[in-house]
Amino acid sequence: MDQNTIDTTAPLVIAGQRYDSRLFIGTGLYKDFLQTRDAVQAAGVQVVTVAVRRVNIGQDNDTPNLLDLLPPERFTILPNTAGCYSATDAVRTCKLARELLNGHKLTKLEVLGDPKTLFPDVVATLKAAEELVSDGFDVMVYTSDDPVIAKQLEDIGCVAVMPLAAPIGSGLGIQNHYNLLEIVENAKVPIIVDAGVGTASDATIAMELGCDGVLMNTAIARAQDPILMAHAMKLAVQAGHAAFHAGRIARKRYASASSPITGTIG
């Protein structure tokens, strides 16, 4: 197929909403809200995640409100349940976010199981997902890179499944390519890599595997130059998405001359 017939600019659709950017970034760890805003702009994102238990989006009238710099009229605010270690706390946090955001249904669910690794508690995650979906939430869910669990979360009704690439904030990059491939190849909802990305090449690899998007926070916010890294991540996601649709060449053990020996002049 001619490359011009492949539309790599097709939007990502989540819960009926169309997004041109396939990069999602968090809003924590920056030195202040102004740097957060500048990173968001450099990344060219449309969806920003907010840890409801850590960032003020209206629950505290005495501290700066992030929504003053990232207004919901311009960005899709994705409240998340970071810091929750039980299904009960996660569900309660989602309901608080819905109230603060005037009935906003889209939420990012994460239920942690271990404070050292920040790996998800998949049993509690499944329980919370079932309750939230039945309550009308559009759930994007952080989970392990287990293909069986990913499929169960999709079957529950989650609108996107977000397997980790490596532990949150580790910067280790994708540690199990084959699990991610298995998840992607069997999914009917968007698969968005969440956690573990360290640099631009990690994001590109995730997209080359066929993932629909990448979510990150630490990789940008803790970079020596967060704004420049945000721009790099934007390009990395775009490049990986285009490369996936272009189709890479097969891997071979030996050389294959780009200039054929036969038919040479002289």
Side-chain angles (χ1 to χ4, degrees):
M1 181 182 292
D2 186 271
Q3 63 180 2
N4 293 324
T5 66
I6 301 175
D7 184 9
T8 60
T9 64
L12 172 61
V13 179
I14 298 176
Q17 296 296 313
R18 298 160 64 90
Y19 300 105
D20 294 324
S21 173
R22 292 171 180 268
L23 175 61
F24 302 72
I25 69 172
T27 52
L29 304 178
Y30 296 93
K31 69 178 183 180
D32 53 36
F33 280 175
L34 291 177
Q35 189 180 62
T36 304
R37 180 200 61 190
D38 292 345
V40 167
Q41 292 176 343
V45 299
Q46 296 164 288
V47 181
V48 293
T49 68
V50 178
V52 180
R53 294 163 65 101
R54 298 170 180 161
V55 178
N56 181 32
I57 56 171
Q59 64 269 48
D60 185 353
N61 294 326
D62 298 324
T63 60
N65 188 333
L66 179 67
L67 301 187
D68 292 336
L69 291 178
L70 300 176
E73 297 79 24
R74 288 185 55 200
F75 299 95
T76 294
I77 306 300
L78 180 61
N80 69 57
T81 61
C84 291
Y85 285 84
S86 72
T88 300
D89 284 348
V91 170
R92 183 186 301 118
T93 300
C94 288
K95 290 181 177 179
L96 171 62
R98 182 169 62 181
E99 181 178 340
L100 291 170
L101 296 172
N102 302 313
H104 183 73
K105 297 194 301 179
L106 189 66
T107 190
K108 182 198 167 192
L109 170 65
E110 55 182 88
V111 185
L112 303 178
D114 174 56
K116 181 179 180 180
T117 64
L118 299 182
F119 283 141
D121 180 336
V122 294
V123 175
T125 298
L126 288 165
K127 179 180 178 182
E130 287 181 335
E131 185 171 344
L132 290 169
V133 169
S134 68
D135 195 25
F137 282 91
D138 293 325
V139 180
M140 301 173 64
V141 58
Y142 165 69
T143 184
S144 65
D145 60 356
D146 182 336
V148 175
I149 296 298
K151 195 62 180 176
Q152 289 177 352
L153 289 165
E154 177 184 325
D155 292 342
I156 285 172
C158 294
V159 298
V161 175
M162 309 176 75
L164 56 80
I168 292 173
S170 68
L172 290 171
I174 296 172
Q175 294 299 296
N176 196 327
H177 296 64
Y178 300 104
N179 277 22
L180 282 180
L181 276 173
E182 188 70 19
I183 292 171
V184 167
E185 290 174 354
N186 290 283
K188 296 181 180 178
V189 298
I191 301 299
I192 300 170
V193 162
D194 179 11
V197 169
T199 191
S201 58
D202 298 331
T204 299
I205 290 170
M207 298 303 294
E208 288 176 345
L209 290 172
C211 293
D212 297 285
V214 182
L215 187 149
M216 64 186 72
N217 188 181
T218 308
I220 294 175
R222 290 298 191 227
Q224 294 182 29
D225 186 335
I227 311 308
L228 184 58
M229 183 62 81
H231 177 66
M233 292 299 189
K234 172 185 176 180
L235 300 179
V237 169
Q238 292 174 346
H241 183 58
F244 171 73
H245 285 283
R248 64 159 292 134
I249 64 170
R251 291 179 172 87
K252 302 176 182 178
R253 289 185 61 192
Y254 304 107
S256 178
S258 56
S259 298
I261 298 176
T262 59
T264 55
I265 298 175

